[in-house]
Amino acid sequence: MKNKIRLVLTFAIAILSLGYLNAQDNKKDQSLTLAEFESKLYKEGAKAQIIDARSLEEYQQNHLVGAISLNASDDAEFQKQVVRLKKDKPVFVYSIGNGRSNALKKKLQANGFSEVYELPGGFSNWVGSGKKVVSSTSNGLTLDEYKKLIKSDNLVLVDIGSKYCGACKRLAPIVDSVAGNHPKDLKVVKIEFFENKQLGVDLNINSLPTLILYKDDKIVWQKNGVSSKDQIEKEILSAQTKSASLK
């Protein structure tokens, strides 16, 4: 009886240990740096299985070299495409941030793919870091053109985002509302990130959306992600107060 209990306990410990090791492996995959992701990707070379989890329109505009387009939300298309991939080879997935790519990663793992790497920070991080992409668009505004665009005697709020980005869409009406409150003392400039890739590199933009508040051509506030109207108004008031105190 004691031997049986001992055997059951040994088996249970083994199972728990295996689960822990798998969790550690998954954690490692999820915490890759951009440099580590890029290194693994290029190590595979032409054999790399790279999947773009964004829409076909986004893919056609800009994508990683060698990537294929695969929308995880379309089950029929997913099953059609997934049979072409090799389960014993690493797969590299990405989307704008990590929303759609994370969903695709989980779907691939559920279908037996044991080694799936997600681009940390998403495609916006890749583009903003100046990495190579296949593109059908120009580089857009130069840094000099941008500097002329934000030139103003008033505060300037720059909204850098994308029409494809969910968080950017949530931020857009908030920025519009703030602009409506400051018709005479605030200039708002909106930049489509993926149509101005070099500018994203020059401004060191690696996440969408990004808000930048300028006063006299100098950055007084910058924030990634969706900001509330109250937060933006607070930063505008702070910049105006500091400016008035210097006069």
Side-chain angles (χ1 to χ4, degrees), residues 59-122:
Y59 170 83
Q60 291 173 336
Q61 187 183 63
N62 298 288
H63 61 264
L64 265 65
V65 178
I68 63 169
S69 176
L70 178 55
N71 188 345
S73 63
D74 187 332
D75 287 332
E77 183 63 22
F78 174 81
Q79 294 301 331
K80 180 181 176 182
Q81 291 277 18
V82 78
V83 296
R84 302 177 184 178
L85 301 173
K86 297 179 180 179
K87 293 184 179 181
D88 60 340
K89 297 290 184 182
V91 180
F92 303 85
V93 299
Y94 68 91
S95 55
I96 288 181
N98 289 125
R100 288 173 286 181
S101 59
N102 187 256
L104 176 57
K105 177 180 179 178
K106 291 178 180 177
K107 204 164 186 177
L108 287 168
Q109 289 173 330
N111 277 266
F113 289 83
S114 59
E115 194 175 359
V116 185
Y117 297 100
E118 187 176 14
L119 175 56

Side-chain angles (χ1 to χ4, degrees), residues 10-185:
T10 301
F11 181 72
I13 290 171
I15 293 296
L16 287 173
S17 297
L18 181 60
Y20 175 78
L21 290 173
N22 286 337
Q24 290 301 102
D25 286 341
N26 289 337
K27 185 178 180 182
K28 184 179 179 182
D29 287 354
Q30 293 169 357
S31 61
L32 287 178
T33 65
L34 182 62
E36 289 169 339
F37 180 93
E38 185 178 21
S39 177
K40 284 182 178 292
L41 179 63
Y42 289 146
K43 185 178 179 181
E44 289 298 314
K47 296 179 181 180
Q49 302 183 108
I50 313 170
I51 305 179
D52 188 318
R54 303 172 301 156
S55 68
L56 182 59
E57 182 180 351
E58 293 171 83
Y59 170 83
Q60 291 173 336
Q61 187 183 63
N62 298 288
H63 61 264
L64 265 65
V65 178
I68 63 169
S69 176
L70 178 55
N71 188 345
S73 63
D74 187 332
D75 287 332
E77 183 63 22
F78 174 81
Q79 294 301 331
K80 180 181 176 182
Q81 291 277 18
V82 78
V83 296
R84 302 177 184 178
L85 301 173
K86 297 179 180 179
K87 293 184 179 181
D88 60 340
K89 297 290 184 182
V91 180
F92 303 85
V93 299
Y94 68 91
S95 55
I96 288 181
N98 289 125
R100 288 173 286 181
S101 59
N102 187 256
L104 176 57
K105 177 180 179 178
K106 291 178 180 177
K107 204 164 186 177
L108 287 168
Q109 289 173 330
N111 277 266
F113 289 83
S114 59
E115 194 175 359
V116 185
Y117 297 100
E118 187 176 14
L119 175 56
F123 192 55
S124 56
N125 188 22
W126 184 270
V127 172
S129 298
K131 306 299 183 181
K132 186 177 181 181
V133 299
V134 176
S135 179
S136 62
T137 65
S138 67
N139 280 334
L141 291 170
T142 65
L143 186 58
D144 286 340
E145 290 170 336
Y146 173 76
K147 288 179 179 178
K148 291 178 182 177
L149 186 62
I150 64 170
K151 200 106 180 133
S152 176
D153 294 331
N154 298 321
L155 290 175
V156 179
L157 181 64
V158 179
D159 178 6
I160 302 176
S162 171
K163 59 187 176 183
Y164 306 109
C165 163
C168 304
K169 292 176 183 178
R170 293 196 298 274
L171 179 63
I174 296 173
V175 171
D176 290 342
S177 180
V178 170
N181 289 346
H182 301 271
K184 296 181 179 180
D185 58 353

